[in-house]
Amino acid sequence: MSDIASFIENEIKSNDVVLFMKGTKAFPMCGFSGQIVQILDYLDVDYKDHNVLENPDLRSGIKDFSNWPTVPQLYVKGEFVGGCDITREMFQSGELVTFLQEKNIPVKAPARA
């Protein structure tokens, strides 16, 4: 296993929720990363962010690790959830809150209309 793959493996095992993204949660550098940040922040989820723009090895390594061609990538309890589209669809359907709760991740459940 490469050093970057070992790093990624350690990060997703050591943190309940990890977002590999362009930019940081304080300053997203692309709209797709920003959308996931908004969703996680809205749900008040505690998560660790990694800026792939700061490390070319991480940027390519995360794609190889997940066999997913794009960033951002969201991991929960070591499991790859998906990118922006999947995360947004899960949020809109209510599935993301249920998934996080099933994984014992504290969330602020959104109000229902």
Side-chain angles (χ1 to χ4, degrees):
M1 186 178 282
S2 71
D3 288 345
I4 200 67
S6 296
F7 170 79
I8 293 166
E9 178 103 13
N10 182 62
E11 287 300 297
I12 65 173
K13 285 184 176 176
S14 303
N15 299 283
D16 285 344
V17 182
V18 183
L19 179 60
F20 294 90
M21 60 181 291
K22 293 179 181 175
T24 65
K25 57 184 164 184
F27 192 72
M29 302 282 290
C30 88
F32 299 114
S33 293
Q35 285 182 47
I36 295 182
V37 166
Q38 286 181 331
I39 289 167
L40 295 176
D41 288 352
Y42 179 78
L43 295 175
D44 204 24
V45 173
D46 185 32
Y47 63 99
K48 180 151 188 194
D49 58 328
H50 286 283
N51 182 0
V52 300
L53 298 177
E54 292 178 347
N55 183 336
D57 290 338
L58 180 59
R59 186 175 186 174
S60 62
I62 191 62
K63 295 173 186 179
D64 294 337
F65 185 86
S66 63
N67 199 27
W68 190 259
T70 59
V71 172
Q73 294 186 14
L74 180 65
Y75 289 79
V76 175
K77 296 275 183 145
E79 181 180 336
F80 176 55
V81 176
C84 180
D85 291 344
I86 291 169
T87 303
R88 185 180 59 241
E89 288 169 14
M90 288 177 71
F91 172 71
Q92 290 171 340
S93 72
E95 187 181 349
L96 184 62
V97 169
T98 302
F99 175 76
L100 292 168
Q101 290 170 334
E102 287 172 353
K103 298 287 186 177
N104 296 313
I105 305 296
V107 297
K108 177 186 77 178
R112 294 280 175 194

